[in-house]
Amino acid sequence: NSNEGLDLDLKEEYQKIKTAFDFAFNSFEVPKPRLVHTPYSKWSDLMYQIRQECPTILHFGCHSEASGVELHGETVQPKQMIQAIQDHNNCARENGEARIRLIILNACKSDEHAEKLLQCVDFSIGHAALVADKDAIDFTDSLYSTIFKGMSLSLSFGIAKSISSKGYRLYAQKDPRLFCMKHEISIARVVCEMSEMSQNVSKQLSKQKRAQAYADNSDDDLPPRAQKTPKSEARSDGGKRTREQESYADDGDSDKKDVPRREKDTIGCGGIDGG
């Protein structure tokens, strides 16, 4: 709510999201996305949470007017949001972190704002004209109950719209039939495994460099008892002493190409965050 009144039942709307989230992602789900709730948020508060959590979905439950989206105590224009989210997504892409792919403006007269926000994300949802609070809550309940279970954004949106209000609009730069939370999570698993593998290879290479540096050290300056034994030296028993060399394997992954790191799945509720 943009004020201290209770004209919007945002607590119930969030509870619908949380219930669907808990049902779809039990404690044994690995990796498990995060759900972050930021009530009574100013735009600066929300951007701080976005930088911290790197969400994939950003959900707004609020009022909206022609001038912009009404957060707590302020109205934020779409152009301000577009620039900030573009900067965040560009930085996230460069660092291999999550980027915001879907923005939901569950508010009256928000369809034009949602269409403009398509400049910075792959998908956006808004509502034309006024929407009753009950319809808004029903839309949220249905959308997340289906999308969290693995249904595509296209089908989830169609079902949610059919049981709530026909005023909802979905805008897309990419095919919404291909956006699926289960798929996003599977990408996160691959990225996590690749990250751990890269760290292991880096450690092994560091060991190899240290071993090579040790092997290159000259014995000329060492006292006689500290000098290293030559590679081949006759033993008293007639045998040969050979220096054993360590080899550091990369577990056969050296030929693999880097996998674009997805995105920690996080559903930001500030809306509604994806490590």
Side-chain angles (χ1 to χ4, degrees):
N1 290 314
S2 57
N3 51 57
E4 297 295 338
L6 295 177
D7 48 333
L8 299 180
D9 195 348
L10 300 180
K11 183 177 180 179
E12 183 179 354
E13 183 176 2
Y14 170 71
Q15 191 58 48
K16 295 292 186 182
I17 299 171
K18 187 176 186 304
T19 299
F21 180 88
D22 292 341
F23 183 80
F25 305 109
N26 58 50
S27 58
F28 300 104
E29 186 83 32
V30 179
K32 180 179 179 180
R34 284 167 50 81
L35 177 64
V36 179
H37 185 208
T38 57
Y40 294 103
S41 305
K42 294 182 180 295
W43 179 241
S44 58
D45 300 328
L46 188 55
M47 282 307 304
Y48 174 80
Q49 288 295 330
I50 289 173
R51 291 192 297 269
Q52 293 296 310
E53 301 293 341
C54 294
T56 300
I57 300 175
L58 187 62
H59 180 106
F60 291 82
C62 58
H63 289 292
S64 177
E65 297 292 345
S67 56
V69 178
E70 296 185 6
L71 299 185
H72 187 62
E74 64 181 3
T75 300
V76 183
Q77 296 180 351
K79 64 179 181 181
Q80 181 181 354
M81 300 170 65
I82 291 168
Q83 185 61 57
I85 293 173
Q86 279 180 335
D87 291 342
H88 166 78
N89 279 351
N90 290 337
C91 182
R93 187 180 292 106
E94 291 175 0
N95 295 332
E97 296 175 332
R99 59 188 178 89
I100 300 172
R101 298 199 61 199
L102 168 62
I103 294 180
I104 299 169
L105 300 180
N106 199 8
C108 302
K109 306 175 184 177
S110 59
D111 61 322
E112 292 185 3
H113 302 326
E115 186 175 14
K116 292 177 181 177
L117 289 173
L118 202 62
Q119 298 176 45
C120 60
V121 293
D122 294 334
F123 312 99
S124 61
I125 294 174
H127 190 278
L130 301 177
V131 56
D133 194 38
K134 182 182 182 303
D135 288 339
I137 293 172
D138 289 343
F139 177 83
T140 293
D141 186 15
S142 177
L143 180 72
Y144 289 103
S145 294
T146 50
I147 201 171
F148 284 162
K149 290 181 181 179
M151 192 174 290
S152 71
L153 173 60
S154 178
L155 291 176
S156 298
F157 173 80
I159 294 173
K161 179 178 179 178
S162 69
I163 67 170
S164 58
S165 169
K166 295 181 179 180
Y168 282 102
R169 302 286 184 268
L170 169 62
Y171 301 96
Q173 290 197 72
K174 296 186 177 181
D175 191 343
R177 295 173 298 179
L178 303 180
F179 181 84
C180 172
M181 283 299 296
K182 294 293 185 181
H183 175 65
E184 295 293 310
I185 293 170
S186 68
I187 295 176
R189 191 190 307 275
V190 172
V191 169
C192 180
E193 291 173 352
M194 288 298 296
S195 177
E196 292 177 356
M197 182 190 72
S198 299
Q199 292 176 5
N200 291 336
V201 171
S202 296
K203 290 179 181 178
Q204 290 167 354
L205 290 175
S206 297
K207 289 181 180 179
Q208 191 174 21
K209 289 180 180 179
R210 289 197 298 269
Q212 184 63 42
Y214 175 78
D216 291 341
N217 286 335
S218 173
D219 292 334
D220 296 340
D221 298 330
L222 296 176
R225 295 186 64 181
Q227 290 183 2
K228 292 181 282 187
T229 306
K231 277 191 174 182
S232 296
E233 177 182 346
R235 290 187 180 177
S236 58
D237 58 3
K240 296 283 188 178
R241 177 179 297 177
T242 58
R243 177 181 298 167
E244 185 175 353
Q245 298 178 336
E246 289 184 305
S247 64
Y248 296 86
D250 62 359
D251 298 327
D253 293 328
S254 58
D255 294 331
K256 291 183 179 179
K257 295 182 179 179
D258 292 338
V259 177
R261 183 174 300 182
R262 180 212 63 95
E263 321 174 332
K264 170 178 75 171
D265 275 297
T266 310
I267 297 93
C269 180
I272 17 174
D273 48 296

